[in-house]
Amino acid sequence: MTIKRIISILDCKILNIDENDNISVDSVYATDLMSDVLANCKKGSLLLTILSNLQSVRAAEMTEVQVVCYVSGRQPKPEALAHGQKKKMTILTTDYSMYRACSLLHDAGLEE
Amino acid sequence: MSKIRIADRIQEILYELEVKSVMWTDFYTLHPHKMMSEVRTVMQKNRNTCVPIVLDKKLIGTLTVDKYIKWLKSHEKDMPVTRCMDVDQITLHPQEPVISALRKMSDSKSIRVAVVEPDTHEIVGIICRCNLFEDVLSKINVIYKDEEVRHYRASHIFEDVLADSVNITLKFHVADTPMEFGGEVASSLRTALQNLGLNGDMIRRAGIAAYEAEMNLLAYAGGGDFRIEVNPEHLQIVITDTGPGIPDIEQAMEPGYSTAPDWVRELGFGAGMGLNNINECSDKFEITSEMGQGTKLDIIIDLEKP
């Protein structure tokens, strides 16, 4: 699924977008536990989380996740956003809750 | 280099390349006292469609070929070039990235733009769109070739260095910083392994293992040290600390077992998955610990043969 479509489905605000904004994700992983991301999140997934500190982006970097979306209107901390920009990640935020965001993406055909 | 890496590198180059490295420094200018009747020779001789009007090295306007033709058609009497020049033209500064120059020129539909020092307003160069692409491509070509050579050298170091055995050792110190800001060493390690041209899956596994270990060092041991050895057979990461030690390693390895305080959990860790994750990422994993002395992790990831 393209980033543009995800932004539209989740009505996201874009905090940083990779210049190559026609990238797409094959799967989604939703968690607030970074060890869970490291253990189970597939490379190239979209990460949905409420955890807004630097480690949310570090965990994405280690697992080679290029798109992070913060749910429930959560804004990433400045150091998290700065690191995401440095690593050319797409950083989004949505007002939808984790449950609602997962449900909308699932309805649109995106699997874990 | 993969296609994605090439595209990333070219994009980086466009951001890194500054206007001053592609601008022309040998260009013709007109003094404000020059008359319109003298412009034709300058434009014809230098094949310029846009000439900067400069007084004391400072740009005060530009005269375009359009304005010159308009003046010719009007049959007005001769006049100083300042009467026909544009004063609201866009300018670039020498340290500006080329990508920003391209955007500005495209938005303003400008073909030739003056490059001006932001502090002194002195004109130092000219950028011409038709030549800019050629200049940028030639710069990209040079930088890219250098990059390719550097990448080739790093990734073929084991083949190119003739010795009975070749080992590359990397050392990182994890300082006792707040855990919230941790992960710097794992991030640097990933970059180093990428530059060595290691396989993508190995880098991912090494990064995850190193990151979990680094966060453990910050949560429990007040920092520690990484020693990484890369040789043609495997990647070995040895992590040592002088922390309190682990009383029961078997228990610590049980998935879900954790002694993490709440502040560690609030950062998204401490669910008893760390050591297991390290184990899962390793081909061989050993952990030894002595109470009051510290802990040592020995991680081996086998190198996949191409």
Side-chain angles (χ1 to χ4, degrees):
Chain A
M1 185 180 287
T2 63
I3 297 299
K4 282 177 185 165
R5 177 121 170 81
I6 287 167
I7 291 168
S8 158
I9 292 169
L10 299 182
D11 196 15
C12 291
K13 288 187 192 78
I14 303 165
L15 304 180
N16 188 56
I17 194 149
D18 187 87
E19 286 289 312
N20 181 15
D21 64 354
N22 58 359
I23 53 169
S24 58
V25 295
D26 317 320
S27 53
V28 60
Y29 202 74
T31 184
D32 303 325
L33 186 60
M34 292 306 108
S35 283
D36 186 21
V37 176
L38 297 170
N40 301 311
C41 186
K42 289 181 207 153
K43 177 182 174 178
S45 292
L46 157 71
L47 174 62
L48 288 179
T49 185
I50 202 165
L51 193 81
S52 56
N53 63 19
L54 174 62
Q55 303 314 329
S56 58
V57 179
R58 288 263 195 229
E61 176 194 359
M62 297 305 152
T63 43
E64 295 168 11
V65 161
Q66 276 299 307
V67 191
V68 180
C69 178
Y70 297 94
V71 295
S72 300
R74 194 63 70 97
Q75 298 292 317
K77 294 199 170 170
E79 59 272 17
L81 181 58
H83 193 66
Q85 286 166 334
K86 187 177 159 195
K87 295 292 166 186
K88 295 190 186 128
M89 287 180 191
T90 295
I91 310 282
L92 310 168
T93 176
T94 176
D95 286 337
Y96 287 118
S97 67
M98 180 76 97
Y99 178 81
R100 189 78 182 116
C102 290
S103 159
L104 287 167
L105 291 173
H106 183 265
D107 289 350
L110 205 57
E111 296 288 339
E112 188 175 279
Chain B
M1 239 190 274
S2 72
K3 279 185 182 172
I4 292 174
R5 201 168 148 74
I6 292 168
D8 280 351
R9 190 61 196 121
I10 289 176
Q11 192 179 317
E12 278 169 18
I13 290 169
L14 282 173
Y15 276 96
E16 283 165 12
L17 207 58
E18 293 179 345
V19 161
K20 67 178 176 197
S21 64
V22 291
M23 70 187 185
W24 293 349
T25 50
D26 185 18
F27 54 93
Y28 202 89
T29 62
L30 284 171
H31 190 274
H33 291 155
K34 281 273 179 190
M35 302 301 283
M36 286 302 281
S37 56
E38 299 171 84
V39 168
R40 195 181 73 179
T41 332
V42 174
M43 285 190 167
Q44 256 183 346
K45 194 175 162 192
N46 300 287
R47 302 179 69 82
N48 283 354
T49 53
C50 176
V51 186
I53 316 292
V54 174
L55 180 64
D56 295 335
K57 295 184 183 171
K58 287 179 186 162
L59 179 77
I60 58 167
T62 51
L63 186 69
T64 61
V65 71
D66 292 349
K67 284 286 165 73
Y68 176 70
I69 293 169
K70 204 173 162 187
W71 171 78
L72 275 180
K73 275 187 177 172
S74 70
H75 301 294
E76 277 191 56
K77 60 177 182 181
D78 206 2
M79 60 178 76
V81 287
T82 45
R83 297 266 305 272
C84 297
M85 71 183 184
D86 291 320
V87 289
D88 54 352
Q89 73 285 339
I90 65 152
T91 57
L92 303 168
H93 63 84
Q95 282 77 33
E96 200 163 344
V98 161
I99 193 109
S100 148
L102 283 168
R103 278 194 197 124
K104 278 188 185 174
M105 291 174 84
S106 168
D107 291 348
S108 64
K109 297 188 172 54
S110 304
I111 293 169
R112 286 168 74 91
V113 176
V115 183
V116 174
E117 282 290 356
D119 303 332
T120 60
H121 302 291
E122 279 183 15
I123 180 167
V124 288
I126 291 279
I127 290 273
C128 178
R129 203 161 80 177
C130 49
N131 292 86
L132 180 60
F133 291 113
E134 202 179 309
D135 293 344
V136 168
L137 284 173
S138 120
K139 288 274 176 192
I140 285 178
N141 194 26
V142 172
I143 297 171
Y144 181 69
K145 274 187 182 159
D146 287 349
E147 175 86 359
E148 224 177 17
V149 168
R150 193 187 59 77
H151 185 76
Y152 175 87
R153 279 188 187 146
S155 59
H156 289 70
I157 195 158
F158 296 118
E159 298 154 37
D160 291 351
V161 176
L162 297 175
D164 289 338
S165 90
V166 180
N167 269 289
I168 296 169
T169 306
L170 310 169
K171 286 181 183 176
F172 295 98
H173 176 67
V174 178
D176 186 14
T177 49
M179 192 180 168
E180 190 174 345
F181 301 107
E184 192 63 45
V185 165
S187 190
S188 303
L189 175 61
R190 268 185 63 87
T191 309
L193 298 180
Q194 275 166 348
N195 288 340
L196 281 171
L198 295 195
N199 169 293
D201 179 57
M202 286 190 55
I203 296 173
R204 190 174 188 267
R205 288 161 63 198
I208 292 173
Y211 179 53
E212 286 281 20
E214 186 179 352
M215 297 313 270
N216 276 349
L217 289 181
L218 295 176
Y220 304 109
D225 289 286
F226 275 65
R227 182 190 165 90
I228 296 106
E229 282 206 11
V230 192
N231 64 39
E233 274 72 48
H234 62 247
L235 166 71
Q236 181 179 29
I237 308 172
V238 178
I239 302 141
T240 49
D241 69 61
T242 52
I246 303 170
D248 186 338
I249 291 173
E250 210 174 308
Q251 195 177 31
M253 289 292 293
E254 277 174 24
Y257 176 79
S258 175
T259 56
D262 285 348
W263 66 269
V264 172
R265 293 174 195 267
E266 281 162 15
L267 292 170
F269 291 88
M273 296 173 78
L275 290 176
N276 252 281
N277 275 352
I278 297 174
N279 191 31
E280 288 294 317
C281 289
S282 315
D283 287 309
K284 193 175 162 206
F285 176 50
E286 276 179 20
I287 175 167
T288 49
S289 187
E290 210 170 312
M291 292 304 289
Q293 300 292 310
T295 302
K296 180 182 171 190
L297 307 185
D298 191 343
I299 299 159
I300 289 185
I301 300 172
D302 292 332
L303 256 68
E304 282 176 23
K305 299 285 177 281

